[in-house]
């Protein structure tokens, strides 16, 4: 039997391979059967087949076996890429997912019958005309399908060609067509070869040279020729042979990057646009180098991170010790101090590098999440009868894995909303004078110390007026509030619980629980979500996320003799306020900051400490959460610092208004203030004060 | 009681002996992780009175409780050079402030007697028994009970009050 770990590795691998097939299928659906994509798919299906058979999951093995057959036919060019075929392949993929869940125990036994039938139907030439039948119909129909046209080069041949090119020879595909009524095909072929041998060197041919010279070909053949002569001259020479109806030479452009992918040489009859596209795609492809990876348990990474944390603290201690040591030793042992100093600073440097690298090791590209979306959008658009060009940008942007885990579900929601409510049906779009195909862009980028993810559609947009009316109708706001509300605030109503503008509820979105959950999920990971929209032109949702949850920048303050960290993400500003500027409103203190009245709270009161170093001059930090702001009095401002967040542990559990703790450079522990709940509760009058 | 009997049925015990409010206490060495000198403790607001705060133990944040306060003992006036016993119980690491730690002692089980209802004001629920040695009495503390049972309720109670 196999251990859990082995099954785990198998499942991970299965996931990756399914994802790989998925991506390439989407590419093929858009751009046709590209050999690179097919090759990748074939390899992935083959890997799944092999490993699932080894682990003993016969169903997966038999399904992928069927899929492999299909891919093989596609690869050989024996089957056209029909939409029925693509649908069947997607269905097979879904089945693979289901089978995977059968292993993990989430899904009950799943029957393969239907999918296998569909695949067989695809493979059956009686239902889908195979290319061989097409070929006999006449020369007009020859275009793309004939297998001999899709000639490929082996890597070894490519190398020969490259060498020859350096010597001044140029490689050409020579396509020869011979009159169908020809009685002596072998003679004609012999003459053609004679002529070619005079002009240059024949490397290979389709079908093989012996077959051609015995006349075993239908109406034409293809030869790979190396020559230094003018192609037009050769063509003319060949045309002089009787019953040769066509002789074309096509130059082969070699891809100088030596890679393992077989290169397809586009046939002469191909649409020139497609040709260019194919080349561009190929260039892209060669840039992607297979990443060498090792699977590591996340727990191990966390442990490493902790160890590095300790190292950082020791480094600080060492530096401090160095100073003391230098003072004590004075000049008597200068050399000793010098070399100790050198070791200390080198150690410091390495520790910083180590910390950075481990931080990076915990990061994953957002592609992990983004990769599922093209399929989601495809399925949704088909279901809704819309046309959408889905663009994904910046999928290589890296995020901490803990954020990656959470960000998926709110993004699915936003994308569904955009497809469902944002982008209009093609007819409607044409009426509005827009392109029938809508554009949905998902983009991730790194801006300063944040990751910004935007979901942008060019759909109908959101009307703030309608938002207000809906909110009024649902009793979420009153008339007066609606009157005061700015357009921006009105748009933000979308994030209020129980608000949904969709009049029809369907199974895709519009259950009215969406956007408020999106917001709370994003805020859970210290993110901020923003909405902008122009009626008729589209909606953009922007999510701003911290790079990592483990390390944050914070403003260090002190209360009595202890340090507290205020997350910089929530710090609006810090200032000194003379005591006389504090006003009282209904027992509570407030201050006026640039025309806005903000509640003022003494942090020492909240934490039950003795506060107030100087009663006349108060240090006030303004903390902001969403649109709400409040001022907090602290004893001293100590400056900014990057801190590693640690939990207070199960024993103490959750402490009101404290979100965790951190270890300072001197080894002491500072508490991290939970600005979010503090500001919110002040505004909702829920604040619990402890009498000092 | 069955559990206690089973534990006591081993022939011998190894105890960490420490002093608290001028009394001698002992606890099973198996649950003691290490003993450190008390250094700076960061207070955590809005926690029960006996929670002194948190310390940094080689990169880990460990809560520290004042055992005197926890057991409702009268505080002695000697405040300098206290010790923290770091114990690891049921996966939770915690520090306990004691006045002094004197030795590790081996005692045979037949010298341990069941606890009287109240010993120097300490509830017998926290005790495993009393050991009689040449120097006098050693009160055997059941750290698990001290740390886990009551506290959870008290911490919960505190949060309920504040909610």
């Amino acid at each position: 039997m196999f251990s859990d770990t082995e099954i785990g590795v198998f499942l991970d691998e299965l996931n990756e391979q399914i994802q790989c097939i998925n991506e390439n299928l989407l590419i093929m659906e858009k751009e046709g059967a590209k050999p690179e994509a097919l090759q990748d798919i074939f390899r992935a299906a083959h890997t799944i087949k092999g490993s699932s058979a080894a682990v003993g999951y016969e169903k997966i093995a038999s399904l992928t076996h069927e899929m492999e057959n299909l891919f093989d036919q596609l690869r050989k060019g024996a089957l056209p890429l029909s939409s029925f075929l693509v649908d069947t392949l997607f269905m097979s993929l879904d089945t693979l997912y289901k089978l995977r869940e059968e292993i993990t125990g989430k899904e009950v036994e799943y029957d393969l019958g239907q999918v296998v039938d569909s695949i067989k139907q695809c493979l059956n030439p009686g239902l889908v005309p195979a290319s061989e039948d097409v070929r006999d119909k006449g020369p007009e129909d020859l275009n793309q399908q004939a297998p001999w046209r899709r000639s490929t080069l082996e890597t070894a041949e490519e190398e020969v060609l490259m060498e020859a090119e350096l010597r001044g020879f140029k490689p050409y595909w020579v396509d020869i067509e011979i009159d169908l009524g020809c009685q002596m095909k072998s003679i004609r072929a012999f003459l053609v070869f004679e002529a070619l041998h005079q002009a240059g060197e024949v490397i290979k041919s389709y079908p093989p040279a012996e077959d051609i010279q015995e006349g075993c070909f239908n109406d034409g053949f293809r030869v790979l020729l190396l020559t230094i002569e003018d192609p037009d001259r050769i063509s003319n020479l060949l045309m002089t042979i009787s019953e040769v109806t066509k002789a074309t030479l096509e130059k082969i452009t070699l891809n100088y990057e030596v890679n393992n992918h077989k290169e397809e040489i586009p046939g002469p009859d191909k649409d020139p646009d497609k040709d260019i596209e194919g080349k561009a795609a190929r260039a892209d492809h060669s840039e992607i180098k297979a990443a060498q990876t090792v699977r590591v348990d996340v727990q191990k990474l966390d442990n490493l991170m902790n160890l590095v944390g300790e190292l950082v603290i020791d480094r600080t201690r060492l530096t401090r010790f160095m100073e003391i040591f230098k003072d004590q030793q004075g000049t008597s042992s200068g050399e000793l101090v010098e070399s100790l100093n050198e070791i200390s600073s080198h150690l410091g440097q390495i520790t910083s590098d180590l910390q950075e690298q481990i931080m990076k090791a915990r990061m994953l590209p957002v592609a992990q999440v983004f990769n599922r979306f093209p399929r989601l959008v495809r399925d949704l658009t088909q279901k809704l009868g819309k046309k959408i060009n889905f663009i994904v940008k910046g999928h290589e942007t890296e995020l901490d894995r803990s954020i990656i885990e959470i960000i998926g579900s709110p993004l699915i929601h936003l994308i569904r909303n955009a497809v469902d409510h944002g982008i209009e049906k093609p007819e409607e779009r044409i009426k509005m004078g827009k392109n029938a195909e809508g554009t949905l862009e998902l983009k991730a980028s790194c801006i300063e110390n944040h990751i910004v993810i935007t979901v942008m559609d060019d759909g109908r947009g959101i009307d703030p007026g309608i938002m207000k009316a809906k909110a009024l109708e649902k009793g979420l706001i009153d008339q007066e509030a609606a009157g005061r509300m700015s357009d921006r605030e009105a748009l933000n109503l979308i994030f209020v619980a129980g608000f949904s503008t969709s009049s029809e509820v369907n199974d895709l979105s519009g259950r009215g629980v969406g956007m408020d959950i999106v917001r709370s999920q994003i805020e859970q990971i210290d993110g901020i979500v923003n909405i902008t929209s122009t009626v008729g032109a589209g909606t953009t949702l922007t999510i701003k996320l911290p790079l990592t949850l483990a390390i944050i920048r914070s403003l260090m303050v002190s209360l009595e003799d202890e340090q507290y960290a205020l997350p910089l993400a929530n710090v609006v500003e810090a200032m000194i306020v003379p005591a006389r500027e504090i006003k009282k409103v209904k027992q509570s203190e407030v201050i006026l900051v640039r025309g806005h009245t903000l509640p003022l709270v003494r942090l020492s009161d909240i934490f039950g400490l003795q506060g107030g170093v100087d009663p006349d001059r108060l240090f006030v930090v303004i903390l902001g959460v969403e649109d709400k702001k409040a001022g907090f009095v602290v004893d001293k401002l100590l400056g900014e610092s990057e801190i590693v967040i640690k939990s207070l542990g199960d024993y103490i559990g959750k402490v009101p208004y404290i979100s965790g703790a951190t270890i300072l450079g001197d080894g002491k522990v500072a508490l991290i203030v939970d600005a979010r709940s503090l500001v919110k509760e002040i505004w909702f009058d829920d604040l619990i004060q402890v009498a000092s | 009681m069955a559990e206690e009997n089973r534990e006591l049925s081993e022939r011998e015990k190894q105890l960490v002996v420490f002093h608290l409010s001028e009394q001698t206490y002992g606890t099973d060495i198996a649950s003691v992780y290490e003993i450190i000198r008390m250094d700076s403790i960061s207070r955590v607001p809005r926690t029960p009175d006996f929670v002194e705060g948190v310390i940094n133990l080689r990169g880990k944040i460990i809560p520290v409780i004042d055992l005197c306060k926890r057991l409702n003992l009268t505080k002695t006036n000697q405040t300098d050079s206290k010790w923290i016993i770091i114990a690891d119980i049921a996966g939770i690491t915690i520090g306990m402030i004691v006045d002094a730690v004197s030795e590790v002692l081996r005692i045979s089980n037949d010298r341990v007697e069941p606890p009287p209802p109240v010993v120097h004001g300490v509830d017998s629920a926290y005790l495993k028994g009393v050991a009689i040695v040449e120097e006098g009495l050693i009160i055997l503390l059941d750290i698990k009970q001290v740390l886990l049972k009551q506290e959870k309720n008290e911490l919960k109670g505190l949060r309920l009050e504040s909610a």
Side-chain angles (χ1 to χ4, degrees):
Chain A
M1 267 319 278
F2 289 88
S3 69
D4 285 355
T5 339
E6 281 164 316
I7 300 288
V9 169
F10 166 71
L11 289 175
D12 282 347
E13 189 189 270
L14 183 57
N15 240 1
E16 267 174 29
Q17 305 295 357
I18 294 177
Q19 185 59 44
C20 167
I21 299 179
N22 201 354
E23 279 168 24
N24 284 303
L25 265 183
L26 285 166
I27 293 175
M28 294 209 319
E29 194 184 23
K30 248 192 202 161
E31 300 168 18
K34 302 209 330 190
E36 296 89 351
L38 264 173
Q39 193 61 38
D40 284 352
I41 289 182
F42 189 79
R43 202 178 298 134
H46 190 78
T47 310
I48 298 177
K49 189 176 103 176
S51 55
S52 56
V55 187
Y57 294 113
E58 296 301 338
K59 276 167 139 185
I60 295 182
S62 67
L63 176 61
T64 41
H65 177 73
E66 298 293 336
M67 289 169 74
E68 206 186 17
N69 282 343
L70 204 55
F71 291 135
D72 195 39
Q73 292 298 309
L74 274 174
R75 198 167 57 156
K76 285 185 189 147
L79 266 183
L81 190 73
S82 64
S83 63
F84 175 69
L85 199 146
V86 172
D87 283 343
T88 305
L89 286 174
F90 274 125
M91 193 161 88
S92 323
L93 274 189
D94 290 341
T95 313
L96 274 182
Y97 270 119
K98 294 241 170 64
L99 290 174
R100 183 184 185 274
E101 294 194 340
E102 203 179 290
I103 300 171
T104 51
K106 281 186 212 149
E107 187 84 16
V108 283
E109 290 265 306
Y110 194 81
D111 187 39
L112 285 183
Q114 203 199 341
V115 189
V116 175
D117 284 350
S118 294
I119 295 180
K120 293 232 165 94
Q121 210 175 347
C122 284
L123 280 169
N124 187 347
L127 288 163
V128 183
S131 49
E132 271 88 359
D133 305 333
V134 179
R135 198 155 33 128
D136 291 338
K137 282 179 193 160
E140 309 87 64
D141 290 337
L142 262 168
N143 289 358
Q144 286 100 346
Q145 306 303 340
W148 58 267
R149 295 243 181 228
R150 333 190 102 257
S151 334
T152 55
L153 287 179
E154 304 289 334
T155 319
E157 286 160 7
E158 250 178 64
E159 280 164 16
V160 171
L161 294 196
M162 275 179 209
E163 270 177 41
E165 200 159 45
L166 292 178
R167 286 186 278 123
F169 284 88
K170 299 235 170 354
Y172 294 94
W173 280 119
V174 185
D175 283 304
I176 306 293
E177 275 172 32
I178 289 175
D179 195 311
L180 281 173
C182 174
Q183 297 299 313
M184 297 178 291
K185 283 202 279 191
S186 55
I187 307 284
R188 302 296 167 229
F190 177 77
L191 290 173
V192 168
F193 271 77
E194 274 298 292
L196 289 175
H197 279 308
Q198 278 170 22
E201 199 180 336
V202 172
I203 302 292
K204 70 189 287 189
S205 64
Y206 292 95
E210 302 87 63
D211 290 357
I212 296 174
Q213 300 207 2
E214 278 167 30
C216 299
F217 58 92
N218 276 336
D219 49 2
F221 52 89
R222 176 168 238 210
V223 177
L224 177 55
L225 180 74
L226 273 178
T227 182
I228 38 175
E229 294 202 33
D230 180 50
D232 288 337
R233 211 185 73 82
I234 298 174
S235 173
N236 288 338
L237 190 74
L238 291 171
M239 288 302 282
T240 58
I241 301 166
S242 62
E243 286 175 309
V244 169
T245 51
K246 198 174 161 196
T248 48
L249 274 81
E250 183 210 355
K251 188 162 185 298
I252 298 169
T253 326
L254 284 174
N255 196 348
Y256 274 98
E257 267 155 305
V258 181
N259 56 26
N260 294 327
H261 296 286
K262 288 183 184 173
E263 191 171 0
E264 194 228 13
I265 306 304
D269 314 324
K270 263 198 174 174
D271 175 351
D273 283 343
K274 259 203 175 150
D275 204 341
I276 291 161
E277 223 178 89
K279 271 177 198 154
R282 220 175 303 139
D284 278 348
H285 203 87
S286 53
E287 274 167 28
I288 303 167
K289 291 217 179 75
Q292 301 237 325
T293 52
V294 177
R295 282 178 210 284
V296 180
D297 189 344
V298 170
Q299 190 60 48
K300 281 188 190 157
L301 281 181
D302 288 348
N303 289 344
L304 269 178
M305 188 72 191
N306 274 338
L307 289 172
V308 169
E310 285 175 38
L311 207 53
V312 170
I313 290 159
D314 278 343
R315 178 194 58 189
T316 321
R317 285 177 57 192
L318 186 63
T319 318
R320 180 169 299 181
F321 167 79
M322 272 302 304
E323 283 160 18
I324 299 167
F325 185 70
K326 229 189 280 179
D327 288 348
Q328 282 184 358
Q329 294 295 312
T331 47
S332 61
S333 50
E335 221 166 281
L336 206 63
V337 172
E338 202 44 58
S339 50
L340 197 57
N341 205 5
E342 201 185 296
I343 296 168
S344 156
S345 67
H346 186 237
L347 186 70
Q349 185 55 47
I350 291 192
T351 309
S352 308
D353 290 353
L354 192 62
Q355 189 180 14
E356 203 188 314
Q357 289 303 320
I358 292 186
M359 279 295 303
K360 281 191 183 151
R362 288 170 51 93
M363 309 271 268
L364 291 173
V366 281
Q368 289 251 330
V369 189
F370 282 14
N371 281 345
R372 329 180 216 157
F373 297 142
R375 177 73 196 280
L376 177 84
V377 172
R378 173 196 181 265
D379 288 357
L380 283 176
T381 46
Q382 286 208 342
K383 212 165 175 178
L384 295 165
K386 292 182 179 178
K387 277 189 180 170
I388 293 176
N389 178 21
F390 184 53
I391 304 167
V392 180
K393 287 184 183 164
H395 48 73
E396 72 288 342
T397 314
E398 291 194 323
L399 263 180
D400 194 90
R401 49 166 292 280
S402 43
I403 299 177
I404 293 266
E405 275 164 19
I406 297 172
I407 197 66
S409 117
L411 278 179
I412 287 178
H413 234 104
L414 295 183
I415 288 171
R416 280 186 168 172
N417 270 339
V419 174
D420 196 11
H421 307 310
I423 293 172
E424 312 90 332
K425 290 219 160 77
E427 315 86 68
E428 204 177 319
R429 290 183 63 90
I430 291 167
K431 229 180 272 172
M432 306 249 321
K434 292 188 196 176
N435 192 336
E437 188 183 56
T439 305
L440 176 61
E441 188 184 286
L442 175 66
K443 189 172 114 185
S445 53
C446 187
I447 296 171
E448 285 163 14
N449 258 332
H450 290 271
I451 296 291
V452 176
I453 299 177
T454 51
V455 179
M456 189 166 80
D457 68 60
D458 66 346
R460 56 172 71 96
I462 301 169
D463 184 345
I466 295 176
M467 297 294 287
K468 280 187 207 175
K470 283 264 175 183
L472 267 173
E473 186 189 305
K474 296 194 183 208
L476 295 170
I477 51 170
D478 55 24
Q479 194 68 52
E480 194 212 331
R484 272 190 286 122
M485 205 168 257
S486 69
D487 282 359
R488 207 174 74 89
E489 284 171 320
L491 281 179
N492 276 311
L493 282 170
I494 202 168
F495 296 115
V496 175
F499 190 95
S500 171
T501 53
S502 175
S503 40
E504 52 194 288
V505 172
N506 57 28
D507 64 335
L508 298 176
S509 51
R511 280 173 303 259
V513 290
M515 292 301 266
D516 58 313
I517 289 182
V518 167
R519 179 183 219 162
S520 73
Q521 279 173 328
I522 291 169
E523 285 180 353
Q524 221 182 75
I525 43 177
D526 285 334
I528 301 164
V529 58
N530 243 313
I531 184 167
T532 55
S533 185
T534 315
V535 178
T539 306
T540 303
L541 279 134
T542 310
I543 302 170
K544 201 169 152 193
L545 295 167
L547 272 180
T548 168
L549 292 183
I551 293 184
I552 58 166
R553 289 199 67 77
S554 58
L555 176 68
M556 303 305 295
V557 300
S558 74
L559 287 173
E560 286 186 27
D561 51 353
E562 296 200 12
Q563 291 196 25
Y564 287 79
L566 303 172
L568 217 55
N570 297 108
V571 174
V572 181
E573 60 183 310
M575 54 178 84
I576 297 170
V577 177
R580 63 191 142 77
E581 283 185 13
I582 297 171
K583 307 277 184 299
K584 281 224 165 190
V585 176
K586 288 193 242 166
Q587 304 299 313
S588 320
E589 290 177 317
V590 295
I591 48 166
L592 204 64
V593 180
R594 282 188 285 281
H596 291 279
T597 309
L598 298 180
L600 185 73
V601 179
R602 289 164 199 264
L603 214 48
S604 50
D605 288 353
I606 291 172
F607 292 141
L609 304 167
Q610 306 285 324
V613 196
D614 182 351
D616 297 327
R617 283 170 73 251
L618 301 175
F619 288 98
V620 174
V621 179
I622 313 281
L623 296 179
V625 175
E626 291 152 33
D627 308 335
K628 306 271 178 280
K629 284 179 200 158
F632 295 87
V633 180
V634 298
D635 288 358
K636 266 184 213 155
L637 299 173
L638 304 170
E640 276 181 44
S641 174
E642 212 155 65
I643 58 168
V644 180
I645 301 176
K646 292 183 183 245
S647 140
L648 282 175
D650 288 342
Y651 184 73
I652 291 184
K654 178 126 188 59
V655 179
Y657 313 126
I658 298 290
S659 60
T662 188
I663 294 169
L664 301 171
D666 60 2
K668 282 188 183 161
V669 180
L671 299 176
I672 303 166
V673 175
D674 182 1
R676 176 160 299 278
S677 64
L678 208 50
V679 173
K680 280 200 164 168
E681 291 186 19
I682 285 168
W683 275 86
F684 293 108
D685 276 338
D686 291 338
L687 197 70
I688 323 132
Q689 302 223 358
V690 173
S692 47
Chain B
M1 281 308 277
E3 197 192 338
E4 265 172 49
N5 284 337
R6 195 166 56 244
E7 280 178 33
L8 291 177
S9 71
E10 295 155 17
R11 271 189 38 242
E12 215 179 37
K13 275 183 182 303
Q14 274 200 66
L15 298 176
V16 173
V17 178
F18 57 91
H19 301 279
L20 206 57
S21 187
E22 287 163 353
Q23 296 295 329
T24 310
Y25 288 82
T27 190
D28 195 345
I29 200 166
S31 54
V32 174
Y33 189 62
E34 64 179 299
I35 295 158
I36 57 169
R37 209 173 254 284
M38 190 165 96
D39 199 13
S40 71
I41 299 179
S42 301
R43 280 169 298 166
V44 180
R46 309 179 81 126
T47 45
D49 183 43
F50 56 81
V51 174
E52 270 308 286
V54 286
I55 55 162
N56 161 26
L57 182 69
R58 288 187 302 279
K60 270 189 175 169
I61 301 213
I62 311 278
V64 175
I65 63 166
D66 186 330
L67 212 47
C68 253
K69 284 186 190 161
R70 179 71 196 91
L71 299 172
N72 290 320
L73 300 174
T74 44
K75 275 227 163 199
T76 44
N77 40 13
Q78 64 162 114
T79 46
D80 52 332
S81 77
K82 286 198 174 190
W83 294 81
I84 298 176
I85 297 179
I86 308 285
D88 190 9
I89 288 152
I92 291 178
T93 311
I94 195 165
M96 297 174 295
I97 301 173
V98 298
D99 291 341
V101 179
S102 55
E103 60 188 325
V104 174
L105 200 65
R106 241 173 233 276
I107 55 162
S108 74
N109 280 330
D110 47 13
R111 295 189 13 215
V112 177
E113 289 179 7
V118 171
V119 184
H120 303 286
V122 178
D123 190 334
S124 66
Y126 298 146
L127 304 182
K128 275 186 174 171
V130 177
I132 303 142
V133 292
E134 285 94 79
E135 297 84 15
L137 284 180
I138 297 177
I139 305 162
L140 303 185
L141 208 57
D142 186 347
I143 302 185
K144 202 168 174 177
Q145 296 298 322
V146 173
L147 296 186
L148 303 178
K149 252 189 176 161
Q150 283 295 106
E151 253 91 322
K152 278 206 168 142
N153 293 338
E154 280 183 39
L155 283 172
K156 239 180 241 163
L158 189 96
R159 243 166 275 146
L160 282 178
E161 260 170 53
S162 59

